[in-house]
Amino acid sequence: MKLQSLGYVGLRARNLEDWASFGEKFLGMQLVERSRSALRLRMDDRSQRLLVEADSTEGIGFFGWEVADSAALEELAARLEAAGVRVERGTKAFADARRVKELIRFADPAGNRLEIFYGAEITAEPFRPGRAISGFRTGPLGMGHVVLTVERIEDLLWFYQDVLGLRLSDYMLEPFKIYFFHVNPRHHSFAMLETGNNGMHHLMVELYMLDDVGQAYDLATREEGRIATTLGRHTNDYMTSFYSRTPSGFLVEYGWGGRSIDPETWKPVEMTHGPSLWGHERAWIPSDQLKQAREMRARAAQDGQRQPVQVIEGNYTLAPGTCPWWDAARKAGS
């Protein structure tokens, strides 16, 4: 697998001030540069993860995918060109602006701008969040995941799987059609949602502590229309999250407790219990899909669908006590 992670995301925005407030005071990113033409935000030890450029339109600008080194970059460039994709080599000035050593640029079959890079700039300055959060779960997993809306998933599968080398995690056909892909142990770093239109659906960022998500949810409830999808838990990556509307119209999923997988042994499956174990009321989907999603969540509850909470060292404490019924249930399931 050549792609290692989602390294950075670029956005277009009419109003940079709206994004400065949203990115810093709501998401908790660190605003490290503000000019009349752009914003630069950090999430960790990288010099930048999110770039927002002033534009006459709103939406996604580009996605930056990371590879290991120059050899991996050249190999991928050759594969793209062999597949008939026009590849542009980034100049040194352009790479410097992206805070990387080297990169290439191209577009996917739907016109989305992609960049592949290596050598991201690391800063010695500690990350200082824009509000009191524990921090973002990034590192080798990358900055999170992105989900695109596409006219037809089949038109893009060959490109993302055969050319870029993303691996299928799982897929769902009802109440809507969506395919999930991984490039590292994060359950998915990329997904495509079939809607009949090409665009950006959401960007996911993952926090270290569940309370970060709950407190952000409280902040979002203070702004009418900010919450697009209520608090809930996904069936495939086990993420506890909610979705908020951004100043550019697409969504940000703010989550905790994402699942890690073994990319070498993972086997994709069709998800038949819907996208969420509970919650995640999606007011933006058509009424027939909304009804079906509610029925699928009710069936998951009736069937007793449960998944273990995904924790990492430092964000949980093992509670004392015993429960004979629960101990027996765990033993029977092992």
Side-chain angles (χ1 to χ4, degrees):
M1 185 180 300
K2 300 303 179 184
L3 297 186
Q4 293 184 324
S5 67
L6 177 67
Y8 55 76
V9 168
L11 309 175
R12 305 186 310 271
R14 294 190 182 94
N15 191 321
L16 292 184
E17 284 304 309
D18 287 348
W19 261 103
S21 176
F22 182 81
E24 187 176 32
K25 303 304 181 185
F26 179 68
L27 297 180
M29 296 182 182
Q30 179 183 356
L31 182 60
V32 292
E33 185 177 312
R34 183 200 309 237
S35 68
R36 295 179 60 183
S37 60
L39 305 173
R40 190 161 59 90
L41 296 108
R42 286 178 58 192
M43 296 173 63
D44 51 16
D45 62 348
R46 297 285 178 94
S47 291
Q48 61 187 19
R49 286 289 194 179
L50 186 67
L51 297 90
V52 187
E53 299 176 338
D55 198 89
S56 60
T57 60
E58 299 278 3
I60 198 68
F62 49 85
F63 304 106
W65 292 93
E66 186 166 9
V67 293
D69 50 31
S70 178
L73 186 69
E74 290 304 318
E75 183 179 338
L76 191 48
R79 191 191 310 171
L80 285 160
E81 290 170 339
V85 178
R86 181 178 176 273
V87 176
E88 179 183 347
R89 308 280 172 157
T91 64
K92 184 180 185 306
F94 192 87
D96 289 345
R98 292 286 193 262
R99 305 299 199 273
V100 301
K101 287 186 177 180
E102 192 177 357
L103 79 160
I104 58 174
R105 307 165 69 192
F106 54 94
D108 73 7
N112 298 296
R113 289 176 53 197
L114 306 181
E115 299 175 2
I116 309 292
F117 72 92
Y118 76 92
E121 182 179 285
I122 305 298
T123 177
E125 290 292 320
F127 170 64
R128 295 184 176 88
R131 64 177 180 86
I133 60 171
S134 62
F136 297 97
R137 188 181 181 209
T138 57
L141 299 178
M143 70 175 288
H145 72 234
V146 291
V147 176
L148 300 182
T149 61
V150 300
E151 188 173 356
R152 276 175 35 90
I153 288 175
E154 285 75 12
D155 294 341
L156 293 165
L157 280 177
W158 69 272
F159 178 81
Y160 281 98
Q161 289 186 287
D162 300 336
V163 180
L164 292 187
L166 277 69
R167 298 182 184 178
L168 184 64
S169 298
D170 46 43
Y171 63 97
M172 183 172 60
L173 302 178
E174 294 180 340
F176 39 75
K177 187 175 181 179
I178 183 168
Y179 278 57
F180 300 88
F181 303 86
H182 62 271
V183 297
N184 58 47
R186 192 186 291 281
H187 175 272
H188 59 278
S189 294
F190 176 75
M192 292 186 287
L193 172 65
E194 188 169 284
T195 64
N197 297 292
N198 296 319
M200 175 71 168
H201 186 267
H202 76 261
L203 165 69
M204 186 284 297
V205 293
E206 184 177 359
L207 286 298
Y208 278 119
M209 303 293 288
L210 178 59
D211 289 339
D212 292 328
V213 176
Q215 289 166 354
Y217 193 78
D218 280 348
L219 291 175
T221 62
R222 298 169 63 181
E223 300 182 58
E224 186 175 353
R226 179 65 74 193
I227 294 175
T229 302
T230 60
L231 195 67
R233 192 169 187 228
H234 282 303
T235 52
N236 61 351
D237 69 354
Y238 305 161
M239 190 81 72
T240 299
S241 63
F242 73 97
Y243 294 67
S244 64
R245 291 185 173 87
T246 71
S248 293
F250 65 88
L251 309 181
V252 165
E253 180 182 6
Y254 208 71
W256 171 84
R259 179 186 196 178
S260 294
I261 65 172
D262 181 351
E264 301 305 318
T265 61
W266 183 258
K267 302 295 183 184
V269 296
E270 179 184 352
M271 299 185 298
T272 57
H273 280 87
S276 302
L277 290 165
W278 53 268
H280 282 156
E281 181 80 347
R282 298 165 173 82
W284 43 269
I285 62 177
S287 58
D288 58 332
Q289 292 183 359
L290 182 60
K291 179 181 178 181
Q292 188 177 13
R294 289 171 175 171
E295 291 172 348
M296 295 178 93
R297 292 202 305 271
R299 188 163 66 249
Q302 292 168 356
D303 293 346
Q305 288 292 315
R306 303 288 185 270
Q307 298 296 345
V309 174
Q310 308 296 294
V311 296
I312 59 177
E313 287 294 339
N315 74 2
Y316 74 99
T317 300
L318 188 64
T322 59
C323 176
W325 174 86
W326 177 241
D327 291 343
R330 289 176 59 194
K331 185 176 181 180
S334 62

